[in-house]
């Protein structure tokens, strides 16, 4: 396939020439952001899954690094997380080390012919040089339920109970399972959440974190789980719950089953998880992709793109606590930004096209009807599945931001992110126009 230079984003991470899906092991170490990710080191199709690696100072300009953890023929390296083991609880560090040890907790996906074939269990690797080189733990796996679909461990330090907490999924059961540990090597079961909310698709890539509730002194816990089907725009999507967490059990807020809430209402925002070790800030990155058509994406020589990093907190609204996501988008980020403040009863439409007026991508903010709509059905290459559907996001009825509905549309090669109402509503989509979308018209 000829190279698609015009679709290469400048502020969203893509690999040079390989396949990419979920972000893994997001961690800030000594001023450098590390992004590990699901990749196939051998090509631009899903397979021989491994952890790729990229680093950045500003979350915009990424430098791809050598593959960190590689498929070894009998075991694929599926999604997981990295923690900074400040107190060397794992014992993987040495007293002479001048930096804390990083510990990666990932899913070993055992190939059918291998010992444990057809199962998934959780394994460890560590780095004593700030994430450059990794050693796998000889006693892997450290947590094995004998399950075929037990994966995607996200680990964090829970200060009040002075313990490590892992959330992972039993994907087919639509459950998030919670485990605790004091040394990262041995784990005990704490609780199980689900099925709940959207259960049409398998559950994958959970996260659990505490964030401030803006305008109050309080905090709340957010549980995230991606779902492989039944998402808000068709295909995969990411749901979240708000509640409390005592180190053992996540309890959703309110009485009765909580409503389904989507992190992003676009078709392309999946497997979003947060960084470890960013004190005072909660930063998430998602894969701007959808399993319904991910393998048909016509970019070359790379396939797969990450979302922007987003700073996340909660905001009280008339509809209860809403998750706010604000993009990390410094002035030097080389992307097109289109902004508008739409009056409460108004409608504004942004049409983006190529120089020649082709391949329209249409974003409509209908404040009167209370919806944000993205229509890519005439914008360039159309893929299978739900790709050509129109994505609609409900606006928050009484957002604290005020009477107008503000909207920011970020266009960067093959990916478009829309933020409305100060980030209370987001919508992310891939687009494959025949040339760059350089022309913008508001009506
Ligand atoms: C989510 C996912 C994970 C798995 C990884 C494999 O997109 O299916 O559950 O660990 O991708 O690449």
């Amino acid at each position: 396939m000829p190279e698609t230079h015009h679709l290469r984003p400048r502020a969203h991470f893509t690999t040079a020439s390989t396949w990419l899906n979920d972000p893994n092991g997001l961690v800030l170490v000594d001023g450098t952001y590390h992004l590990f990710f699901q990749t196939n080191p051998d090509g631009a199709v899903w397979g021989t899954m491994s952890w790729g690696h990229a680093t950045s100072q500003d979350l915009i300009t990424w430098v791809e690094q050598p593959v960190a953890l590689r498929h070894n023929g009998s075991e694929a390296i599926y999604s997981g997380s990295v923690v900074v083991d400040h107190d060397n609880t794992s014992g993987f560090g040495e007293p002479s080390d001048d930096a804390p040890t990083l510990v990666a907790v990932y899913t070993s996906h055992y190939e059918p012919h291998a010992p444990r074939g057809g199962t998934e269990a959780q394994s460890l690797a560590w780095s004593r040089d700030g994430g450059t080189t990794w050693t796998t733990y000889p006693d892997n796996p450290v947590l094995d339920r004998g399950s075929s679909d037990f994966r995607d461990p996200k680990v964090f330090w829970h200060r009040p109970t002075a313990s490590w907490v892992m959330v992972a999924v039993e994907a087919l059961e639509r459950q998030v399972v919670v485990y605790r540990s004091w040394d990262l090597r041995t784990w005990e079961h704490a609780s199980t959440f689900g099925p709940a909310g959207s259960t049409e698709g398998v559950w994958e890539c959970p996260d659990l974190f505490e964030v401030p509730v803006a305008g109050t002194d309080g905090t709340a816990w957010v549980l995230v789980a991606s779902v492989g089907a039944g998402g808000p725009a068709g295909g995969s999507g990411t749901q979240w719950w708000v509640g409390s967490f005592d180190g053992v059990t996540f309890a959703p807020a309110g009485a009765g089953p909580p409503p389904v809430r989507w992190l992003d209402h676009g078709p392309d925002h999946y497997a979003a998880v947060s960084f470890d070790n960013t004190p005072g800030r909660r930063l998430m990155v998602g894969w701007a992709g959808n399993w319904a058509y991910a393998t048909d994406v016509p970019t070359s020589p790379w396939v797969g793109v990450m979302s922007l990093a987003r700073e996340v907190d909660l905001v009280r609204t008339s509809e209860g606590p809403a998750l706010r996501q604000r993009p990390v988008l410094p002035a030097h980020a080389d992307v097109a930004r289109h902004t508008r403040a739409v009056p409460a009863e108004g409608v504004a439409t942004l049409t983006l096209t190529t120089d020649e007026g082709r391949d329209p991508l249409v974003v409509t903010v209908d404040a009167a009807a209370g919806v944000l709509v993205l229509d890519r059905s005439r914008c360039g290459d159309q893929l299978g599945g739900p790709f050509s559907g129109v994505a609609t996001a409900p606006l928050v009825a009484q957002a604290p931001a005020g009477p107008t509905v503000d909207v920011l549309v970020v266009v960067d090669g093959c990916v478009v992110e829309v933020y409305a109402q100060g980030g209370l509503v987001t919508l992310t989509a891939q687009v494959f126009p025949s040339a760059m979308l350089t022309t913008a018209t508001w009506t």
Side-chain angles (χ1 to χ4, degrees):
M1 197 196 299
E3 296 196 9
T4 52
H5 293 295
H6 68 287
L7 297 175
R8 176 77 88 173
R10 293 168 180 169
H12 290 74
F13 178 69
T14 52
T15 65
S17 57
T18 55
W19 166 276
L20 165 157
N21 57 288
D22 315 350
N24 298 151
L26 302 172
V27 62
L28 174 61
V29 183
D30 203 15
T32 297
Y33 293 94
H34 293 257
L35 162 67
F36 300 90
F37 51 87
Q38 286 289 284
T39 194
N40 176 358
D42 302 326
V45 293
W46 189 88
T48 55
M49 295 315 291
S50 304
W51 275 28
H53 184 199
T55 52
S56 174
Q57 309 304 313
D58 61 1
L59 294 165
I60 290 292
T61 314
W62 292 97
V63 178
E64 194 171 350
Q65 305 289 349
V67 170
L69 294 168
R70 205 174 267 274
H71 185 288
N72 69 8
S74 57
E75 179 191 340
I77 314 295
Y78 273 16
S79 289
S81 51
V82 166
V83 290
V84 182
D85 188 9
H86 291 283
D87 297 329
N88 197 24
T89 61
S90 64
F92 293 142
E94 298 291 339
S96 57
D97 290 353
D98 38 49
T101 304
L102 306 184
V103 180
V105 189
Y106 62 88
T107 298
S108 294
H109 174 93
Y110 299 103
E111 302 294 359
H113 65 270
R116 300 178 197 263
T119 67
E120 294 180 340
Q122 313 322 323
S123 292
L124 305 178
W126 69 85
S127 173
R128 292 172 51 213
D129 59 6
T132 306
T133 60
W134 292 85
T135 306
T136 49
Y137 181 42
D139 292 340
N140 280 336
V142 293
L143 180 54
D144 183 1
R145 293 161 58 107
S147 165
S148 63
D149 289 83
F150 171 41
R151 61 179 175 265
D152 307 341
K154 179 72 163 66
V155 175
F156 63 93
W157 179 251
H158 185 252
R159 200 178 302 270
T161 56
S163 58
W164 297 103
V165 173
M166 175 197 293
V167 287
V169 290
E170 277 293 351
L172 305 183
E173 312 299 331
R174 281 70 166 155
Q175 287 178 328
V176 174
V177 288
V178 183
Y179 281 81
R180 307 170 75 190
S181 174
W182 286 265
D183 61 2
L184 294 166
R185 302 182 191 214
T186 52
W187 292 90
E188 65 178 43
H189 182 248
S191 63
T192 298
F193 176 87
S198 173
T199 56
E200 184 180 330
V202 292
W203 282 19
E204 300 184 313
C205 299
D207 198 356
L208 177 61
F209 51 79
E210 188 176 18
V211 279
V213 182
T216 76
D217 294 336
T219 62
W221 286 80
V222 171
L223 177 67
V224 175
S226 288
V227 291
S236 45
T238 306
Q239 59 176 338
W240 66 279
W241 297 265
V242 63
S244 59
F245 180 66
D246 61 2
V248 175
T249 307
F250 173 78
V260 178
R261 296 169 118 167
W262 300 108
L263 197 69
D264 187 289
H265 288 82
D268 293 299
H269 196 256
Y270 197 65
V273 285
S274 65
F275 274 83
D276 188 63
N277 201 39
T278 56
R281 289 180 98 188
R282 183 58 59 176
L283 293 166
M284 296 185 87
V285 172
W287 168 46
N290 187 319
W291 281 118
Y293 46 74
T295 54
D296 301 328
V297 163
T299 55
S300 175
W302 81 97
V303 173
V305 56
M306 292 303 175
S307 77
L308 292 172
R310 300 172 179 185
E311 187 159 356
V312 176
D313 64 1
L314 288 163
V315 175
R316 284 205 296 197
T317 73
S318 54
E319 297 159 21
L323 202 63
R324 175 167 62 176
Q325 303 175 70
R326 290 178 287 186
V328 177
L329 200 58
H332 66 265
D334 187 10
V335 299
R337 301 159 215 233
H338 308 280
T339 57
R340 199 80 165 178
V342 183
E345 295 305 315
V347 180
T349 298
L350 173 67
T351 304
L352 296 155
T353 66
T354 67
D355 270 355
E356 295 175 342
R358 289 210 302 260
D359 299 345
L361 171 71
V362 184
V363 178
T364 304
V365 188
D366 188 340
V371 289
L372 173 69
V373 182
L374 182 136
D375 181 355
R376 64 179 174 184
S377 65
R378 290 177 298 142
C379 184
D381 279 1
Q382 299 294 308
L383 314 183
F387 187 88
S388 56
V390 174
T392 302
L395 295 170
V396 176
Q398 282 167 21
T404 58
V405 174
D406 62 276
V407 60
L408 162 68
V409 182
V410 181
V411 185
D412 187 19
C414 64
V415 54
V416 178
E417 297 193 25
V418 185
Y419 294 84
Q421 298 181 296
L424 293 180
V425 179
T426 71
L427 210 156
T428 304
Q430 297 183 86
V431 285
F432 308 108
S434 56
M436 280 175 76
L437 297 176
T438 46
T439 305
T441 313
W442 286 100
T443 52

